[in-house]
Amino acid sequence: MCAKHIENLKYAPAELSRLIADAFNDIFEKHQPLNVGTGVLISLQKPGKPLGPLKSLRSIVLLTTLRNTLSLITLQRISDKVDDFLSPPQSGFRRGRSTADVIWGHRWLVAKCQRYKYVIEILGIDMSRASDTICREKLLSILHSFLDTDNAQIIRLLLSETNLTVRVDDALSAPFNTTVGTP
């Protein structure tokens, strides 16, 4: 959906929000299907990387506005519980935290090591492709340990029957099913 339509949804009257809420409630209460699992996979050139190699591209999935709306509602519903579940040092994808926190902590450790002549080893994990490799069943199992059934069911819907179409310029591939990662 183009940015204009998304802006229209954002600033629409409250009645539209009620209609969307009713549609979402019908999905779960009446077991009505809603096709929120489709997306278009595109690749963008990473800034400052050489043209051509696949490692120089960043893949992103363009999702439907309805799916993004459901995702944002779910995120708002579960964010406090997820924050309570995560360990305090975890900074990625958390409200009020950023990469700057991790960089500050690293620099503080380096300064202390230099001052007191300590030698430490730091283990770093490249999380740049973390969302591409998530085992969905394992994620759902972990989420079930601290989320209520309703929120876990919404997340299961968002992760199930995910079909992607690859777009290169104006050409689209045939849709294919994905079972790993999160769109």
Side-chain angles (χ1 to χ4, degrees):
M1 184 173 268
C2 73
K4 175 184 166 191
H5 294 109
I6 294 169
E7 288 296 309
N8 288 340
L9 182 61
K10 183 177 178 180
Y11 297 110
E15 180 59 29
L16 181 59
S17 297
R18 282 190 290 280
L19 290 172
I20 292 172
D22 290 343
F24 286 146
N25 287 328
D26 283 347
I27 293 167
F28 296 104
E29 291 172 4
K30 299 175 184 172
H31 305 287
Q32 294 180 347
L34 178 70
N35 187 10
V36 294
T38 59
V40 177
L41 180 68
I42 64 170
S43 293
L44 301 175
Q45 181 69 37
K46 290 181 181 177
K49 299 288 183 179
L51 294 175
L54 290 177
K55 65 182 180 182
S56 296
L57 298 175
R58 175 176 293 127
S59 297
I60 62 169
V61 178
L62 304 175
L63 300 165
T64 65
T65 302
L66 200 54
R67 182 194 174 90
N68 281 337
T69 302
L70 183 57
S71 295
L72 290 171
I73 290 168
T74 306
L75 178 62
Q76 186 175 15
R77 288 174 58 141
I78 69 169
S79 62
D80 289 340
K81 291 177 181 150
V82 171
D83 276 345
D84 291 343
F85 176 80
L86 295 174
S87 64
Q90 173 66 37
S91 291
F93 306 104
R94 292 182 84 174
R95 195 177 356 171
R97 302 275 188 94
S98 71
T99 306
D101 297 321
V102 176
I103 293 169
W104 182 89
H106 183 268
R107 289 183 178 167
W108 183 84
L109 281 172
V110 168
K112 290 296 179 185
C113 289
Q114 288 173 342
R115 181 174 182 179
Y116 296 108
K117 309 291 188 239
Y118 288 145
V119 174
I120 64 170
E121 293 183 26
I122 297 175
L123 173 64
I125 301 173
D126 180 5
M127 299 297 285
S128 62
R129 296 197 181 273
S131 64
D132 298 341
T133 59
I134 291 172
C135 173
R136 294 177 184 176
E137 285 306 315
K138 187 170 188 174
L139 173 63
L140 288 168
S141 172
I142 293 167
L143 291 173
H144 273 291
S145 72
F146 66 91
L147 291 180
D148 59 64
T149 305
D150 289 345
N151 286 318
Q153 185 180 9
I154 294 170
I155 294 169
R156 181 172 293 282
L157 172 74
L158 289 169
L159 294 175
S160 65
E161 299 179 23
T162 308
N163 296 297
L164 299 178
T165 302
V166 177
R167 185 176 79 195
V168 178
D169 296 325
D170 292 330
L172 293 174
S173 74
F176 61 94
N177 192 356
T178 65
T179 58
V180 176
T182 60

